[in-house]
Amino acid sequence: MISLVMPTYNRRATLARAIASVLAQTDPDWELVVVDDGSTDGTESVVRGFGDRRIRFFRDDQNRGVTAAKNRGLDEARGDFIGMLDSDDELVPSALETLLGALRTVSPRLDAISCNCVDSRSGAFTGRGLARDRFLTVPLSLDRARGEHWGIFRRRLLAGRRFDPRIRGFEGHLWYRIHDGALWYYLHRGLRIYHREGADRLSVRPGGDYALYAQLFDHDPELLRLYARWSKKAFVRLVRTAALHFARARDVPRFRLA
């Protein structure tokens, strides 16, 4: 079974579309874990209105942020595989069937299966750098892949790890950690429809990129060591970008550290 984790906050207008795309899956063996991060727009009534027992709804009474909502979803997920789905995006009907098909056509031992996404306006792939079906490693992904990709992974890869609520952004870094050493395969298909036209992006970061890199250096120095091991190119790119933001903010201590 696949657990799809869907955090949401005041997205009544797009939530029904996202849920409907899950209900339309050609593979029916899934659960949808919807975590309402304190919405005030009647989100719960939208979810309850579908009346499908595979949809599990959880609500926080206060808005704690998308990171906390995703962690709650990971805590509640019961499937063999897990995927995250934003509440303003969609899956193509064959998405889950296609991903799971790699267990038959590639290897039943696969730990993670990724794919591309399709821009809702242009129809173009949003992920760049990968142009064919292939096995992936974290170093290869860091060196080549850019933009928006998607996928599922075995729940056991989490091994208790969660997003760090002190770092609002860089969520891909959790994925790099859990995919490190995993048997990981990429399918060059656009299986998720990525919507960017809304103004209510859940991933908006207070303080912008400077705050993101400051939080990263303050709270997760281990990640810098992992980057240095995974990919020297990616490590240099990360440190240079951080140093640039620190210099612009005249943050001398962090600039020297970078």
Side-chain angles (χ1 to χ4, degrees):
M1 184 175 71
I2 296 178
S3 293
L4 294 172
V5 174
M6 181 180 291
T8 190
Y9 175 66
N10 284 346
R11 275 188 171 166
R12 181 186 177 98
T14 62
L15 181 61
R17 179 184 67 196
I19 295 176
S21 78
V22 178
L23 287 166
Q25 289 302 297
T26 54
D27 188 313
D29 194 13
W30 52 262
E31 67 168 4
L32 178 61
V33 181
V34 180
V35 181
D36 180 5
D37 190 27
S39 296
T40 58
D41 65 346
T43 285
E44 183 170 358
S45 65
V46 173
V47 179
R48 302 290 188 195
F50 283 97
D52 192 302
R53 287 184 292 180
R54 293 172 296 178
I55 302 174
R56 302 170 60 214
F57 180 79
F58 302 91
R59 172 180 166 80
D60 286 325
D61 292 332
Q62 59 182 348
N63 179 237
R64 298 191 298 149
V66 64
T67 301
K70 288 183 175 182
N71 284 341
R72 175 74 183 276
L74 293 176
D75 291 342
E76 299 291 349
R78 302 180 300 193
D80 304 296
F81 282 86
I82 295 177
M84 310 291 295
L85 181 62
D86 289 347
S87 56
D88 61 343
D89 287 344
E90 303 170 75
L91 296 181
V92 303
S94 62
L96 301 185
E97 182 180 8
T98 301
L99 291 175
L100 290 177
L103 296 175
R104 297 187 298 272
T105 61
V106 180
S107 170
R109 298 185 298 108
L110 289 177
D111 296 312
I113 308 140
S114 294
C115 64
N116 219 304
C117 301
V118 176
D119 186 278
S120 62
R121 293 168 295 187
S122 69
F125 280 1
T126 61
R128 305 180 303 279
L130 302 173
R132 61 180 176 83
D133 294 4
R134 65 182 304 162
F135 282 98
L136 283 178
T137 63
V138 169
L140 177 64
S141 178
L142 282 168
D143 287 343
R144 294 196 182 185
R146 298 288 181 274
E148 191 76 11
H149 294 84
W150 189 67
I152 59 175
F153 59 90
R154 290 193 188 271
R155 181 161 57 100
R156 60 175 171 77
L157 293 182
L158 280 171
R161 301 183 188 95
R162 295 295 184 267
F163 296 106
D164 189 333
R166 299 170 300 179
I167 304 174
R168 298 188 62 178
F170 267 136
E171 293 172 356
H173 293 162
L174 174 62
W175 307 141
Y176 291 137
R177 280 184 162 104
I178 67 175
H179 285 70
D180 188 19
L183 189 60
W184 181 16
Y185 197 76
Y186 169 74
L187 296 171
H188 195 53
R189 319 276 198 282
L191 301 180
R192 172 181 149 217
I193 301 172
Y194 182 44
H195 288 268
R196 291 185 288 185
E197 60 269 25
D200 62 335
R201 311 305 300 166
L202 291 181
S203 57
V204 172
R205 298 186 293 267
D209 287 338
Y210 161 74
L212 169 62
Y213 283 100
Q215 292 161 4
L216 178 63
F217 272 65
D218 290 350
H219 302 305
D220 198 358
E222 179 202 19
L223 185 64
L224 302 178
R225 294 190 290 272
L226 289 173
Y227 259 69
R229 175 168 64 84
W230 288 331
S231 166
K232 291 182 179 179
K233 182 189 299 185
F235 173 72
V236 170
R237 185 169 59 241
L238 173 67
V239 173
R240 282 180 175 172
T241 304
L244 178 62
H245 286 293
F246 297 155
R248 287 175 175 171
R250 298 181 179 180
D251 186 340
V252 175
R254 291 194 181 96
F255 176 78
R256 288 175 175 169
L257 182 62

